[in-house]
Structure formats: C-alpha cells, structure tokens
Amino acid sequence: MKWLESSSLERCGLTLSHLLSLCTTTHMPDGGYQMHFSAESLADFEEQLYMTIEMYHDQIKCLTQGSKKVFGVVNGSRLGVLVDTSDLNCSEQRLPDLQQHLLMLIEEQLHLKKQLHMLSYSTEVSSLWNQPVDNCPLRLRESRAWVLQLQAGGGCDLLQALEKVMMHSQLDTLLIILATRPHQTVDVVCDYIARSRTPSVHAVAYNCSSPDAIETVKRMAAVSGGKYHLFSDELGVIDSSTDVEMLWKEIKAARDILTHIHSMHQGRFQGTPVTVQSEILMGLNGLTLSDSSPVPCSVSAPLYIQLTDPKAISSREWLNVHGLKAQKLDLYQLLASNAYSPQKTFVPILGKTVSSRVHERVMVQFEWWDGTVKNVHVDLPSLQKYQKKLSTAVRLFERRVYHLNRTGSLQIWGTVCEQRVQVVLDMSGMNVHYQLHIQHALRLLLQEQLADKHSFNVTVFGSDVTSWQEKMVPPTHENLQAVWQWIQGMECAVGRDTLTALRHVLREEPYGEFTKTQGVYLLTSGMPDQDMVAVAGYVSERCRTANINLHVCLFTREEKTLRCPPSSYSTRTDTALRALAHAGNGRFLWLTETGIVESDDINVLIEEMETAANYCQKCSELVDCLMQKSSSRGSGKSRFQETSTPSIKPQISSRSAKLSPPRPTKLSVARLENRQKIRSAQNTLTWRPSSSDFFMVDSSTTRTPSSSANRRRSKVSQSVFYMEDGNLGVVFKKYPKPKSVRKSIAAIKLPKHEELCSTKQWLKRFGIKNLKLDLQKMLSGPECSHPDKLVPSVQKRVSAKYCAIFPTVQINGIVKHLHLTPAELKQYLSETEKLMQRYTQRMKWLLTGSRCMFGAVLEKTVCVLLDVSGSMASCLPELQKGLALLIWDQLHANSVMFNMVVFSGEVRLWQAGLVQSTKDLCTDAVQWLHQLTTHGGSCTLQALQTGCGLDDAVGLYLISDGTSDSSHSLILREIDTLRQEKNVTIHTIAVNTRDRACCEFLKCLAHRTGGRFHQAPDNTDADLLKHLSDLHSAVFLPKCEGDDLRRLAEEIEKLTFFQKQAKTFRETSLACRNLEDS
C-alpha cells in the first residue's frame, strides 16, 4: 500500500526503538541500569501514537466507501481488467449489481490511469480493444457501454484469459475479478503466473463463497507480489483485504507501544526500572523570581534540538478535523430524522385552530437548538451508541488538553503553527527578575518547535529594539545555537516600548514574498508604555492587510495574580493583552510559575467538552422522559379509554336503532296504493299549464348536495315488472361505462429556451408529475395474488392461473402485473430521455454565469444587501468579481431597477433609491464595489429594514455568511412584524458559511418571506459543465444546497430512477413474451 509507505510507524518515527532512543540510562550498583524519560517527551510520543491510530482508522473508513469497498485501491498506471462473466456471476440477480459496481470503478479509479485494456472471460475470452489504449473520455465512454453489454457466457477459463493478456507486455498491473472456481486448479494458475513473470496482480473475489476461488485469489496475489480483496455483496462489507490487514497490523503495533508507555509510567519496562520526570521542573529547579543574581543552571548548555511534527495546528483548526461536528456527533443531527414539529391547522367545521396531540402523547417533547419544542422518537440503541462515541471524543479532547498543558514549550508559547516566525521578547527593566525565565522559555522554543520551520528571527526590546538578524534565516543547527548564545548576552533595560517593537517586526519586508512574516510571538510580562488603543489599532490594521498573526504570551508572578484585585490587575493587563492578540488574528496565553492560567487553545477545547457534556445531559433527560412515559403509560391508557369510550358507544347505539328490518319482497295492498299515489304525483309534476304566467321552478337551480351522486346513479337504467306470483322483477337496460385504467403515453412538448422563473414554478409546468410520466402511477393497479385460495364449490385450494400469463414486477415491495407493453415502455424511455436532456440543459443554465453564485434574479426591482463584516474578508475579492458579473449579466441585460446596500457595523447605500440599470450607472456600481473593505460587526437587521424601506414590491437579495450582531430569533420576529405592513420577499445567498446554525437561519429567513435560499455548489468547474453537455454520459450532479438547484437535482434523480425501472420492466416483458413464443 503506497499510502502506508509514507505513513507507517517506522516512517513517522513511532516504533519502540524510537521510543527507547528518548531515554537516558544510568548504571546501578547491582550491575543493572535504570532508564530515565522526560514526562513531556513521553506525553508527546503518546499523543502522536493516538493521532496516528486515529489516522489509520480514518483510512480504513475511506477504504470501505465507493469502488474501494468493492475492488480495493487499484494501483498501477497501465492496467488490464479481467472480468468474470460466467453464468454464476452474470445471472439475472447478480448482473445489474456487477455492472453498477464496474461503472463506479470507472468513474472513481480507472479514469486516472494512463492506459487501459478491458477483457471478459467465461468459456471464451472477449476483449473491448485489440491492444491497450491510452485513456481519454472517448475510451471511458466505450468502457461504460462495454460494461452495460456484458452477459453470461458459460464457464470460467481463467488460464486462457491470462495467456491472452500476457501478450501485451506494456501492462504493469492486472485487475482480476473472480466470482467462481476457475476450470484450472490453483497450482496450475499460480505456476503459469510465476513462469510468465506476470505483472502485479490485484485479485478480487467478487461476492464469492467458493473456498477454491478465494484460495486462488490469495495465491495469485502472493505469487505476483500484488494484493487481494474479498468482497461480500450480501453482507455489504469487506471480508478481507491486503490493505486493511496491513492497517490493522500497524494499529496493533501502535497499541502494543501504548501498553509499554503505560508500564513505563508505572515504573517498569520489561523488568527494567524506569523514572519519569518533568523537564520544566528540572530546568526551573531552584529558580526564584525574587533572586536578581544570575543562577548557574542547565540553560548555559548547548541546545538539544528535537524534530517535532511539521504539521502543527491550533486547537481551533484541530477541532475542524476532530471536533464534534467533524465526527458528526451533533445531537440535533442525530435526532433530526425522528423529530416532528407540533402541527396546528384550522378546521372549518369546528371554526377554530386545532393542534395535533398524537405525537405529544406517544413521543418525548424536546427543546430544539432554535428554541422550538419538537416531538422526538427516542431510539435507545442509537442513543447508547451515540453516548459511547461522545465519551470517546471527550477522552480525545482531554488528551490534547493534557498535551498542551504538560509539554515544554507548548505550555509557554502554545503551538507554533506558521512556517516563517518572528519571536519578540520583552527585556524591559520590569523583567530583570524574569530574565532567566525568559531565556529558559526561548531555549525550549528553539529546541522543540523552531527546528522544523522555514525561517525565523528573534527580536528583544526595552527602551530600544534589537534584532538578532536583519532578516529571517533558516533554522539550521548553527543558527539555533548562535541565537541562543546571543540571547544569553542580552541584558534587561528600562522602558517597555512595545509599539516600536511591533512596528519593527510587522513592517513591510523589502526582500519579497519568500521572506514574508507569517506569525509573530510576543512574550511579555505587562502593559506597554504607549496607549493601548493606539497599539491595538496599529496591530489590527497591519495584521489584516499583511495577513500576519500576532500571538501574545503573558508571564506573571503567581503571588501578583493572587493578591491583586481583579479591577486593578486582571481588568487592565490580561484584558488589554488578550484584546491585542485577538486584534492581530492570534491567540492569547497567560502563564505563571505554577502553570497555565488562561489559553485560547485550551479554552476552545473546554468549550467543545462542555458542548459534549451538554449533549450527554440532554441524552439523559431524553431517557428519563421516556422511562416516565413508559411507567405512566398504563394509567394514561385507562384515562384515554374513559374519555373516548363514552363518545364512541352512543354513536354505535344510535346507528343500530336506525336500522330497519329487511324489506319484504311481496307487495302488500297498502304498499300498492302508496305506489299508485307516487305515480300520480309524478304525472302531475310532468303536466305543463298553457298559461305563460305560471311560474316554473328550474330544476338546475334546486340542486342538492347529492346531485352528483344522483347523476352517477342515473347512468344505470332498469325496468321493474310484476311476476305471476306477485313478486317484483327487475331487468337492467343500461350499465355504467367502465372507466379505463390504462394510461397512454403521450408525446411531451418542452421549451427550447430558458424562462426566467424559479425551479419550483418551472417544475409545476415541466415536472414528471405534470407531464404524466410518473411510472409508478402508470403501473398503479391491483396487487398480484399468488397464494392458493380455497374454492368452496370444488372444496380444494386453487392457484391463480393468470400469474403465469402476465409478467410480474415488484413496485415498492408489492408484486403487481405489468400491463404496459414493450412498445409503450420504449415510448416512455424515449420521452423521458428528451426530458432528461431538457433537465440537464436547465441545470447547466443555472450553473453558468452569475446564477451559479447568486441564483437567478426574478424581480424587476431589486436591492442587493452585501455583508462586509470582518468574517467576510476571505471571500470579498471573489464576491466583488461575482457581483460585477451579476450587474452586467442579469440586472443590465434584463433592465432591472436596482440599488446596493453594504453593511458591517453600519449601513451604507450606493444610491438614495432604486435606479435604472443603465450602462453608466452599472459601471459606477462596479467601481463602487471594488472600493469596499471588510471590517467590524454585522448589523443584518438594520440592513434588512433599510432595504424594505426602498419600495413595497422590492426583492431583497441578502449575501452573507449568517453571522449577525443581533440574535437570529430577533431578526425573524422583526421581519415577521415588518411583513404585516409590507409585502417583502427576501432571497438569501450563503457565502463562506461554516456554522450550521447560520446556514439554517438564512434558509429560515428566505422561506418565511416566500424567497429562495441559494448556496453555490463546491464543484462547478469546466469539466462538470462539459459533462452535463455530454448527452451520452450518466448524470453525476454536485451536492446542491440551494432551493433551485436542489429541487432540479431531486427531479433528475427521480427521473433517472424511473428510467432504470422502465428498462428493467421492458426486459422482463420481452423475456416473458419470448418464453410464450417458445
């Protein structure tokens, strides 16, 4: 496995021999020796092992997805593919799955190869091309078509396939897919591979249960030095794989080393005594802050350089990979599939609004993240697994906190993440008692974190500023030793000119981009001499424009921190320096003699652990509520019966009282007289007077609610007569015409050009349902009754004979007869293919131009609201280009009246009102946009209120990342109040949204006001648009979050599913017809 070659324990320096190289030994009087370890080095080694194990688990998870799960990772650049097309592997049940998996393999792995050669082998060997061909889009389309034409061919002659493929010596890898036992024995096949010097074999046992076939796969891989892969389609898992076994072997070795580290902490290692001591205590042993005289210590010794992980990251970046959201451990995400909002609806017959009560009685009420209450179905096994994963994540967070709090330079400086680093030391007169501590802190930094950086420099300041070098230099061993000797000769001076020192290190570099500073680490013990507002203002402006991070490390006395009240010390010093670090896009760390007082890296981890604890508490509350409901279910059921039974019983008794006895068949004398009276009354009604003044009531104006039912009954006409015995006879003259359930497939008419409307409106006219192309509705009919039934007249069970005549298909788990003919299904496939091309054409239109970033602008009066707060700094250049395209592409081209509003801490308008999109005004708008900069907060509510005040029918397009100075609930309430006075539509465009809550807020804001939510998909490059233009390739769409793109993508997926079903049904119908003909 190539990935493991660069990420194994040996290459990462995490084997047992590397661990033992960190210790020192001393001889004991009894002739033995004792091992000495540094607590910091052991903790760091242990942390790296845990992270490596987690990396291996992630790689195993990656190997169980997509085509890697079925075939493994296929190496090599010139690949020959041999597919088993025997009768077993290409049976009716297995062939569709095989074709689907092969198509997935082509899309994910084979398109990256340089050359391909495709062969199928059964009794005979067939190849797609005569020789290996260079890979290109045309060859990939031919490969897909070849896969779809695979069919069963008899036995499994593997040796013949190997002989044919070995004629092409340019191949370096063979992918052999085997599903059954070959004709030849294992020894014959392996002997041929060994004698022929076959290229590396990647053998796959595809859904195979034959022991001989599995043995053949493993032996071929071993003989050729390749890999094997065993996949079971029934279980949907990997039975065994060379790659997975190698990863598990590395995980086992790492766990064994962790066991050795645990025994070292206990004082023994394989019978040898071990001592573990902290390096900080060794370095600072005997030092006191009150002692002003130099104390001889180990800091005068040469540096001991240690190479650490070059990919050091901050805790916030670390949480992006290992946090709760990254591990999909959000409680609300887990419960979302089983959470239901309480429903309220107006019942006209009652004349009031009624709320649902069923979910409230059978489910648990749970407060959602947005403050609403939902009814949740609690799945106890899933909740138990979730809590276990939550505990594992918390332990991982705790290990990182322990690593940051107990490891050498990390405890003083934090994690040095940047590659080009400036170190600034406060050597003012107030630090004369801290001089040895400052030197020791720099020594640890030089030894542990700077050796693997690109370049560095050290600057000291008091009343003057002195740098070790004029520019940054590489951290070679000589440079590190030289700066250490230089710092030992520096003395503390009066004054603390922090602003001058920061101006010196943050100045523009005259040496070009190669030596540009990325990170500045300031170690100080107090407030600067200058005004803190001026210092913070300069740092904020300079760090923002030059993209530099300023990290502040505050070192103070323990007794000063304890004795000074918060108003005099904490409020002034640490608060000011914390604000300085955050203004410089950096982190703040506060350290005393006894340890860390405050650290931004640790704070974000603690917040994540508190979130996990909150989720765990909510899980416990859910379980408690469920137990309470289950314990009170008996009493609740009896109360329900007491309240519901009285309302049901009177209904039944009243109905039974109204039932009349069966009518006698023989007419009595009274009933005969009654019939004569009815007939005479009917005759008088049909008589028409001669006077025109007589008023006739029109029957059409006296319709009753049952008139439609009467019309339906009038379709049946009957004649009544008396028989000889006096009974009444009936003769039916007219029968109702049966309604045809057969649905014809009509030709559809689709527009050639795109219409400016939303996808929801467009699909109302050209959706699958409206075009009457819903395949399941076409096949809606009676179910197929296959089981035998007892016929009383013949006293035996008889099966339905028609089941053998008509083809049967399975729809949504129900077996039904297929009434559509192959010709009709062919017509359906033809019409759906035209519709698929039209859908693809509209999807391409939505993904081109400014519509990809902002969606389609529908209104004729538009106001664009642009968020230019500090959180939008990274995406502002891209937005400026996109908005310029929007102005010319949609506003100017469609003659839309528009205005633009930008907001951060305040709201600014481009024009006082709406203006026409003339050429001059559009040019002015583009120039105005390019002058914008990001800064400050985000007053979203004030911007929305300003946009609503422009016009009554204006369409607002809010472009933001969702963060706001006001709460999301307050904004939604104010907009609801505003909509009671004005009809305002708000469309939201999510840009640079990393928080799920912000994205949900933008969706809710758009949907509440009748607008649309839009978010540009991640993959919209030219290759995707070219792929959509290709009518012969399968449609693979990017993940779409916006309303227009999502609705169209769902319709395309539905149509693709119907096409696949129709093809399968047509093959079934043709097979049934061929069987009848034979």
Side-chain angles (χ1 to χ4, degrees):
M1 185 177 182
K2 292 185 177 179
W3 179 85
L4 199 57
E5 292 177 0
S6 60
S7 303
S8 63
L9 294 178
E10 181 69 30
R11 293 298 299 269
C12 294
L14 296 176
T15 60
L16 184 59
S17 60
H18 290 92
L19 175 62
L20 296 178
S21 65
L22 300 177
C23 74
T24 58
T25 58
T26 57
H27 293 279
M28 302 179 65
D30 56 357
Y33 61 91
Q34 185 174 8
M35 305 172 67
H36 303 276
F37 282 94
S38 167
E40 289 79 11
S41 60
L42 272 184
D44 182 63
F45 200 92
E46 184 179 9
E47 177 67 18
Q48 292 184 34
L49 278 175
Y50 278 115
M51 294 179 67
T52 304
I53 291 175
E54 188 172 358
M55 179 178 63
Y56 291 157
H57 281 292
D58 292 340
Q59 185 65 19
I60 292 176
K61 185 178 179 180
C62 178
L63 291 176
T64 57
Q65 295 177 355
S67 63
K68 298 177 183 178
K69 174 182 177 180
V70 183
F71 303 104
V73 180
V74 182
N75 298 328
S77 59
R78 295 175 175 83
L79 181 67
V81 182
L82 285 74
V83 182
D84 181 2
T85 56
S86 60
D87 290 340
L88 175 65
N89 198 30
C90 291
S91 61
E92 294 182 359
Q93 295 80 12
R94 296 180 53 161
L95 182 59
D97 293 335
L98 175 63
Q99 292 173 337
Q100 179 183 359
H101 291 154
L102 288 174
L103 291 175
M104 189 188 308
L105 176 68
I106 294 173
E107 295 299 329
E108 295 181 3
Q109 298 193 58
L110 298 192
H111 75 281
L112 301 174
K113 307 302 179 183
K114 292 183 179 180
Q115 286 188 346
L116 290 177
H117 191 40
M118 312 289 289
L119 298 93
S120 62
Y121 64 94
S122 52
T123 304
E124 300 293 336
V125 180
S126 174
S127 61
L128 176 58
W129 306 294
N130 295 329
Q131 59 183 0
V133 296
D134 293 335
N135 200 353
C136 64
L138 175 62
R139 300 305 183 187
L140 292 177
R141 283 197 295 270
E142 293 176 353
S143 302
R144 298 189 195 100
W146 176 76
V147 168
L148 295 176
Q149 294 175 0
L150 291 178
Q151 56 185 358
C156 180
D157 194 348
L158 177 59
L159 184 60
Q160 182 183 357
L162 289 173
E163 291 173 350
K164 185 170 184 178
V165 77
M166 284 305 299
M167 298 170 58
H168 309 289
S169 59
Q170 62 266 44
L171 298 176
D172 57 9
T173 304
L174 295 181
L175 172 59
I176 301 176
I177 302 172
L178 185 65
T180 184
R181 184 175 63 84
H183 293 169
Q184 297 80 17
T185 62
V186 179
D187 296 333
V188 172
V189 174
C190 293
D191 287 344
Y192 176 79
I193 292 176
R195 286 185 287 102
S196 304
R197 296 181 180 179
T198 307
S200 176
V201 174
H202 184 105
V204 178
Y206 178 79
N207 198 14
C208 178
S209 58
S210 171
D212 294 337
I214 295 174
E215 179 66 21
T216 303
V217 165
K218 292 184 176 181
R219 288 273 300 277
M220 285 192 300
V223 170
S224 64
K227 300 187 297 183
Y228 71 88
H229 188 88
L230 311 181
F231 172 71
S232 174
D233 194 18
E234 297 179 355
L235 300 178
V237 297
I238 301 174
D239 289 341
S240 181
S241 172
T242 303
D243 293 339
V244 175
E245 287 185 356
M246 293 171 65
L247 288 171
W248 280 117
K249 183 178 179 181
E250 292 291 314
I251 291 174
K252 183 179 181 301
R255 289 174 176 171
D256 292 340
I257 297 173
L258 287 174
T259 304
H260 290 314
I261 293 176
H262 179 71
S263 63
M264 290 176 181
H265 283 292
Q266 302 298 325
R268 305 292 294 180
F269 172 70
Q270 297 179 354
T272 304
V274 177
T275 58
V276 180
Q277 190 173 3
S278 174
E279 184 177 347
I280 295 180
L281 296 178
M282 295 169 59
L284 296 179
N285 188 22
L287 292 180
T288 59
L289 293 177
S290 59
D291 189 5
S292 60
S293 60
V295 179
C297 60
S298 60
V299 297
S300 60
L303 297 179
Y304 175 68
I305 308 301
Q306 302 176 13
L307 293 178
T308 57
D309 184 12
K311 298 180 181 179
I313 57 176
S314 63
S315 292
R316 194 173 298 277
E317 296 173 346
W318 185 84
L319 287 176
N320 292 335
V321 182
H322 305 284
L324 297 179
K325 291 184 179 179
Q327 298 185 44
K328 298 181 180 180
L329 293 179
D330 192 331
L331 178 61
Y332 300 106
Q333 184 179 0
L334 174 70
L335 300 176
S337 58
N338 294 325
Y340 305 91
S341 300
Q343 299 293 327
K344 292 184 179 181
T345 184
F346 180 78
V347 180
I349 194 172
L350 299 178
K352 62 178 182 179
T353 302
V354 179
S355 61
S356 60
R357 300 296 299 275
V358 177
H359 285 170
E360 184 178 351
R361 290 174 178 170
V362 301
M363 293 186 179
V364 177
Q365 284 68 49
F366 182 71
E367 183 178 358
W368 213 243
W369 60 270
D370 56 356
T372 59
V373 177
K374 292 184 181 291
N375 299 313
V376 178
H377 169 69
V378 181
D379 186 5
L380 288 179
S382 300
L383 209 60
Q384 185 179 8
K385 293 180 181 178
Y386 171 75
Q387 288 179 314
K388 290 181 179 179
K389 293 181 180 179
L390 211 59
S391 301
T392 304
V394 170
R395 288 195 294 269
L396 180 63
F397 301 155
E398 290 174 347
R399 286 198 299 269
R400 181 165 178 86
V401 171
Y402 176 82
H403 171 68
L404 294 174
N405 199 26
R406 297 296 301 273
T407 306
S409 62
L410 293 178
Q411 189 180 20
I412 303 173
W413 300 91
T415 306
V416 179
C417 307
E418 297 82 6
Q419 286 296 317
R420 294 188 283 273
V421 179
Q422 291 268 14
V423 181
V424 183
L425 301 176
D426 180 4
M427 299 288 286
S428 59
M430 287 73 80
N431 291 339
V432 64
H433 300 298
Y434 299 141
Q435 184 170 349
L436 289 177
H437 294 77
I438 294 173
Q439 292 178 357
H440 181 71
L442 181 63
R443 177 185 176 86
L444 292 178
L445 180 66
L446 296 173
Q447 290 182 154
E448 297 178 2
Q449 297 198 62
L450 291 187
D452 55 1
K453 302 303 177 185
H454 179 271
S455 56
F456 80 105
N457 197 3
V458 178
T459 301
V460 298
F461 70 94
S463 56
D464 298 326
V465 179
T466 306
S467 294
W468 172 57
Q469 297 288 343
E470 293 183 0
K471 60 179 182 179
M472 290 187 291
V473 297
T476 61
H477 185 79
E478 294 77 10
N479 288 335
L480 292 175
Q481 295 289 351
V483 73
W484 172 237
Q485 296 296 329
W486 176 78
I487 199 65
Q488 292 183 86
M490 301 301 296
E491 297 292 338
C492 293
V494 296
R496 183 183 283 144
D497 195 354
T498 308
L499 180 58
T500 304
L502 293 177
R503 288 182 184 275
H504 179 75
V505 297
L506 295 177
R507 70 187 187 279
E508 293 186 5
E509 298 289 344
Y511 303 103
E513 187 71 18
F514 186 72
T515 59
K516 184 179 179 181
T517 302
Q518 294 179 342
V520 177
Y521 289 80
L522 170 63
L523 179 62
T524 183
S525 61
M527 295 277 288
D529 294 341
Q530 297 78 19
D531 183 17
M532 199 64 204
V533 177
V535 177
Y538 168 76
V539 168
S540 176
E541 181 67 22
R542 181 60 189 151
C543 291
R544 181 175 59 83
T545 56
N547 195 19
I548 301 175
N549 302 325
L550 172 64
H551 310 280
V552 179
C553 307
L554 173 62
F555 185 82
T556 60
R557 280 190 178 186
E558 180 68 22
E559 58 268 18
K560 184 175 181 180
T561 307
L562 295 175
R563 293 174 185 174
C564 292
S567 60
S568 63
Y569 184 78
S570 177
T571 305
R572 296 189 57 187
T573 305
D574 65 306
T575 304
L577 293 177
R578 186 186 304 108
L580 179 63
H582 295 168
N585 302 325
R587 291 165 282 134
F588 175 70
L589 189 145
W590 185 6
L591 180 73
T592 64
E593 291 176 288
T594 57
I596 296 176
V597 177
E598 180 182 350
S599 171
D600 286 351
D601 277 337
I602 295 178
N603 286 344
V604 295
L605 294 171
I606 293 176
E607 290 176 2
E608 197 77 359
M609 287 190 285
E610 289 176 351
T611 303
N614 184 25
Y615 287 164
C616 188
Q617 178 65 25
K618 288 183 181 295
C619 291
S620 302
E621 293 175 359
L622 282 173
V623 175
D624 293 340
C625 292
L626 183 64
M627 298 304 293
Q628 291 177 4
K629 278 187 174 291
S630 61
S631 61
S632 61
R633 187 170 296 171
S635 60
K637 184 178 180 181
S638 63
R639 286 196 300 269
F640 178 75
Q641 290 176 350
E642 291 174 2
T643 57
S644 60
T645 305
S647 63
I648 296 176
K649 287 185 177 179
Q651 255 184 344
I652 298 175
S653 61
S654 63
R655 286 185 182 177
S656 60
K658 290 181 181 180
L659 290 177
S660 59
R663 187 173 60 180
T665 58
K666 187 173 182 180
L667 292 175
S668 62
V669 178
R671 292 174 66 195
L672 285 174
E673 293 177 353
N674 188 21
R675 279 184 175 272
Q676 292 175 358
K677 292 180 181 179
I678 294 173
R679 288 178 180 176
S680 62
Q682 291 177 350
N683 293 333
T684 57
L685 287 175
T686 57
W687 173 77
R688 297 179 181 271
S690 59
S691 174
S692 62
D693 297 332
F694 189 83
F695 178 76
M696 288 294 294
V697 180
D698 188 6
S699 62
S700 63
T701 62
T702 60
R703 291 181 181 177
T704 62
S706 60
S707 60
S708 60
N710 294 333
R711 287 196 301 271
R712 286 195 299 268
R713 286 196 296 268
S714 65
K715 295 180 180 178
V716 181
S717 63
Q718 59 187 16
S719 176
V720 182
F721 64 94
Y722 291 99
M723 295 186 295
E724 295 178 354
D725 55 357
N727 292 330
L728 191 67
V730 179
V731 176
F732 289 89
K733 294 182 178 180
K734 183 180 179 181
Y735 293 92
K737 185 179 180 181
K739 183 179 179 182
S740 176
V741 297
R742 193 172 190 85
K743 300 170 177 63
S744 61
I745 302 172
I748 60 175
K749 296 182 180 180
L750 300 172
K752 295 183 179 180
H753 304 287
E754 299 298 340
E755 299 180 12
L756 192 60
C757 61
S758 64
T759 300
K760 184 178 180 181
Q761 296 172 347
W762 194 79
L763 288 178
K764 284 183 178 180
R765 299 175 55 195
F766 307 108
I768 298 174
K769 181 179 179 181
N770 299 85
L771 295 176
K772 298 180 180 180
L773 291 178
D774 192 335
L775 184 61
Q776 296 183 357
K777 191 173 182 180
M778 289 180 179
L779 298 176
S780 60
E783 300 179 10
C784 177
S785 236
H786 287 283
D788 297 343
K789 290 187 176 180
L790 178 64
V791 180
S793 60
V794 296
Q795 293 298 321
K796 65 178 182 178
R797 304 184 71 87
V798 179
S799 62
K801 299 299 183 181
Y802 58 83
C803 290
I805 301 174
F806 298 101
T808 58
V809 294
Q810 190 172 10
I811 302 175
N812 296 331
I814 301 175
V815 179
K816 294 187 177 183
H817 285 293
L818 181 62
H819 299 285
L820 294 177
T821 63
E824 291 174 332
L825 289 172
K826 183 178 180 180
Q827 176 67 16
Y828 175 84
L829 289 173
S830 176
E831 298 300 324
T832 53
E833 184 62 26
K834 291 194 298 183
L835 184 59
M836 178 64 74
Q837 295 176 9
R838 188 62 187 85
Y839 282 172
T840 307
Q841 177 184 342
R842 183 160 183 92
M843 177 63 75
K844 182 182 178 181
W845 179 74
L846 290 174
L847 290 174
T848 54
S850 60
R851 289 177 295 272
C852 179
M853 181 177 290
F854 304 104
V857 178
L858 308 181
E859 294 84 358
K860 287 298 181 181
T861 55
V862 168
C863 180
V864 179
L865 308 176
L866 177 60
D867 184 1
V868 291
S869 60
S871 57
M872 300 285 289
S874 59
C875 58
L876 181 60
E878 184 180 358
L879 282 176
Q880 290 172 336
K881 296 179 182 177
L883 285 172
L885 181 60
L886 172 70
I887 291 173
W888 294 109
D889 187 24
Q890 299 195 57
L891 302 185
H892 178 70
N894 299 327
S895 300
V896 177
M897 293 185 64
F898 75 108
N899 196 359
M900 307 193 71
V901 176
V902 297
F903 61 94
S904 53
E906 59 182 4
V907 179
R908 289 180 291 164
L909 282 80
W910 169 56
Q911 297 288 342
L914 298 172
V915 297
Q916 295 291 342
S917 55
T918 61
K919 184 176 182 181
D920 294 337
L921 288 175
C922 290
T923 304
D924 182 65
V926 172
Q927 294 176 356
W928 183 74
L929 280 173
H930 284 287
Q931 296 174 359
L932 298 177
T933 58
T934 57
H935 62 281
S938 178
C939 55
T940 308
L941 180 57
Q942 291 79 357
L944 290 172
Q945 293 172 343
T946 303
C948 293
L950 293 176
D951 193 9
D952 291 338
V954 67
L956 302 182
Y957 286 77
L958 175 63
I959 306 172
S960 175
D961 59 353
T963 58
S964 175
D965 296 341
S966 306
S967 65
H968 294 166
S969 58
L970 175 62
I971 296 175
L972 295 176
R973 287 197 304 269
E974 291 296 328
I975 293 300
D976 290 341
T977 305
L978 189 61
R979 277 179 54 83
Q980 296 177 2
E981 303 175 359
K982 293 185 177 182
N983 184 17
V984 180
T985 303
I986 301 176
H987 308 278
T988 57
I989 296 99
V991 179
N992 196 28
T993 51
R994 299 178 181 177
D995 190 4
R996 182 176 60 86
C998 295
C999 190
E1000 291 297 328
F1001 160 67
L1002 293 176
K1003 287 184 181 179
C1004 184
L1005 179 61
H1007 296 164
R1008 278 198 182 188
T1009 58
R1012 294 165 295 129
F1013 170 79
H1014 183 81
Q1015 186 175 12
D1018 297 332
N1019 182 16
T1020 57
D1021 53 3
D1023 293 338
L1024 174 63
L1025 298 178
K1026 183 179 178 182
H1027 181 76
L1028 291 175
S1029 302
D1030 189 2
L1031 303 180
H1032 300 285
S1033 61
V1035 180
F1036 293 94
L1037 300 175
K1039 183 179 179 181
C1040 303
E1041 294 289 343
D1043 293 341
D1044 286 342
L1045 296 174
R1046 175 179 53 80
R1047 287 191 175 100
L1048 187 57
E1050 290 173 354
E1051 200 75 4
I1052 291 175
E1053 291 176 359
K1054 185 178 180 181
L1055 186 60
T1056 304
F1057 175 73
F1058 284 165
Q1059 285 181 325
K1060 184 178 179 181
Q1061 272 193 332
K1063 291 178 183 178
T1064 306
F1065 294 166
R1066 187 169 184 270
E1067 293 173 359
T1068 303
S1069 180
L1070 290 174
C1072 183
R1073 179 174 295 183
N1074 295 333
L1075 185 62
E1076 290 176 1
D1077 296 339
S1078 61

